[in-house]
Amino acid sequence: MRILLVKTSSMGDVAHALPVVHDILQNVPHAQIDWLVEPAFAALPQLCQGIHEVHLLPWRRWRKQLHKASTWAAMRQLRQSLRACAYDVVIDLQGLVKSAFWASATKVPVWGYDAESAREGLACQFYARKVAVSRQLQAVQRCRELVATLLGYVTPTTAPTFGMRPPPLSAEILPERLLARPYAVLVPNASRPEKLWPLEHWCTLGQQLQSQGLSPVILWGSSSEQDYAQRIARSCNGWVPPFLKVAQVCSVMSQAQVVVGLDTGFTHIAAAVGCSVVGIYCDHPPELAGLMGDGTLISLGGKGKSPTLESVLSALARIQSSSIR
């Protein structure tokens, strides 16, 4: 059975969907699984064991260039490539009109959420088969239940297996002085201001880590975020890496002693690769998008409930204590 999974963005959402690959391979003999995703997040399915081919959908770029003939030519080429694969099943894990539209470009009947379950109810107009999945489930569990119901096996109750294999960490990613000693990763930036945690808290946290012999590594994704990361680094003798690709972020996370981060894609990657993580939630209920993975994971806060510095430091101490035992 040739299966195409459609989850195009964003980073955290793609990470949350990865466990369905392991579930399918455990329950559908001889399944061959492909993935359709935005290029910026393609490294996640590419690093996931069990995925055969990753198709790139640069819709974020295309939608800004619809006036160009080259854009329409590229879209035709992607449609032809998808149709040439002759999929047996296409499952839209995203539930958006854009993802449903491109899933239907395969000319294969598309399966997905029903109108009450999808993020955009109109998306279900593209689906030949629709199922109800509670929107109150944690994001990983929603994906697992959707696929299990559609493919006819019992939703697994085991812990999710993300199947991530990050590339080796090298001096091209982190300098030798950091590779030679334990380090912690901080993820202080997010796409929306509502998700942010006070700068002074990050500085104190970095100083605490430094006093414990852990070098703080502060990640960023844009020029303004880089400036913010450097302010934190200066306060705690931390290090700000150059811009890292997603695969490189996976490598850095996989070797960190601990990660403390906001509810953002980098933090969810850390959990997916098995790191111990303290998640700081300031604008979203952690029960709906809490951290999932094999490490020790603590999610703090909630919508409009920024966790205190003391609660984060306490969670960090609990993680460090559990790693010593």
Side-chain angles (χ1 to χ4, degrees):
M1 179 183 286
R2 298 201 67 181
I3 301 172
L4 176 66
L5 300 177
V6 179
K7 190 75 162 182
T8 64
S9 61
S10 290
M11 191 183 302
D13 293 333
V14 174
H16 286 151
L18 294 177
V20 303
V21 176
H22 179 268
D23 291 350
I24 293 171
L25 295 176
Q26 292 296 304
N27 291 278
V28 183
H30 312 300
Q32 179 178 301
I33 304 170
D34 293 353
W35 199 291
L36 181 65
V37 67
E38 282 273 354
F41 314 116
L44 296 177
Q46 287 168 346
L47 295 174
C48 179
Q49 299 177 70
I51 293 181
H52 177 259
E53 184 176 359
V54 176
H55 298 281
L56 304 183
L57 171 63
W59 179 246
R60 293 183 175 186
R61 173 166 56 85
W62 284 348
R63 69 185 180 187
K64 299 175 183 177
Q65 301 178 357
L66 292 177
H67 61 286
K68 295 184 178 180
S70 59
T71 299
W72 291 92
M75 289 193 291
R76 284 194 298 272
Q77 184 175 3
L78 177 59
R79 284 197 297 269
Q80 292 169 0
S81 298
L82 292 173
R83 292 172 188 174
C85 292
Y87 290 109
D88 299 296
V89 176
V90 177
I91 300 177
D92 180 13
L93 291 161
Q94 196 146 16
L96 298 177
V97 171
K98 69 170 183 179
S99 58
F101 172 81
W102 280 101
S104 68
T106 59
K107 290 298 183 181
V108 174
V110 180
W111 298 351
Y113 296 104
D114 70 6
E116 296 299 318
S117 309
R119 289 170 61 186
E120 294 178 354
L122 186 60
C124 74
Q125 299 302 313
F126 291 88
Y127 304 149
R129 186 178 176 192
K130 312 156 196 176
V131 298
V133 179
S134 172
R135 295 174 67 90
Q136 300 307 307
L137 290 176
Q138 198 273 351
V140 173
Q141 189 61 21
R142 264 176 59 84
C143 293
R144 298 180 82 187
E145 184 165 318
L146 172 68
V147 174
T149 304
L150 289 171
L151 294 180
Y153 58 84
V154 177
T155 304
T157 57
T158 54
T161 298
F162 289 84
M164 296 283 286
R165 281 190 172 177
L169 193 58
S170 69
E172 295 180 358
I173 303 174
L174 289 183
E176 292 287 354
R177 67 178 179 85
L178 285 176
L179 291 174
R181 60 175 294 185
Y183 63 88
V185 172
L186 303 184
V187 184
N189 293 291
S191 57
R192 301 199 313 272
E194 296 85 359
K195 288 188 173 187
L196 297 179
W197 201 49
L199 172 64
E200 59 270 21
H201 288 0
W202 288 111
C203 294
T204 301
L205 177 61
Q207 292 161 10
Q208 178 73 12
L209 291 167
Q210 191 68 253
S211 71
Q212 296 171 351
L214 295 175
S215 298
V217 175
I218 303 100
L219 299 188
W220 58 279
S222 68
S223 57
S224 61
E225 292 181 357
Q226 184 182 24
D227 292 340
Y228 191 75
Q230 288 172 338
R231 291 175 67 185
I232 298 169
R234 285 194 293 270
S235 74
C236 61
N237 195 28
W239 187 73
V240 178
F243 180 80
L244 299 177
K245 297 180 180 178
V246 173
Q248 294 173 320
V249 171
C250 292
S251 297
V252 171
M253 296 295 197
S254 68
Q255 298 301 313
Q257 296 295 306
V258 66
V259 173
V260 182
L262 301 177
D263 172 27
T264 190
F266 284 170
T267 307
H268 290 287
I269 285 179
V273 300
C275 194
S276 293
V277 187
V278 178
I280 298 174
Y281 289 73
C282 301
D283 189 51
H284 199 69
E287 56 269 22
L288 297 183
L291 301 170
M292 298 285 279
D294 294 333
T296 303
L297 307 172
I298 301 176
S299 300
L300 301 172
K303 188 170 182 63
K305 298 178 181 178
S306 177
T308 65
L309 173 62
E310 292 72 21
S311 66
V312 172
L313 292 175
S314 176
L316 179 63
R318 296 203 303 272
I319 285 180
Q320 293 170 321
S321 176
S322 66
S323 66
I324 293 173
R325 295 196 202 104

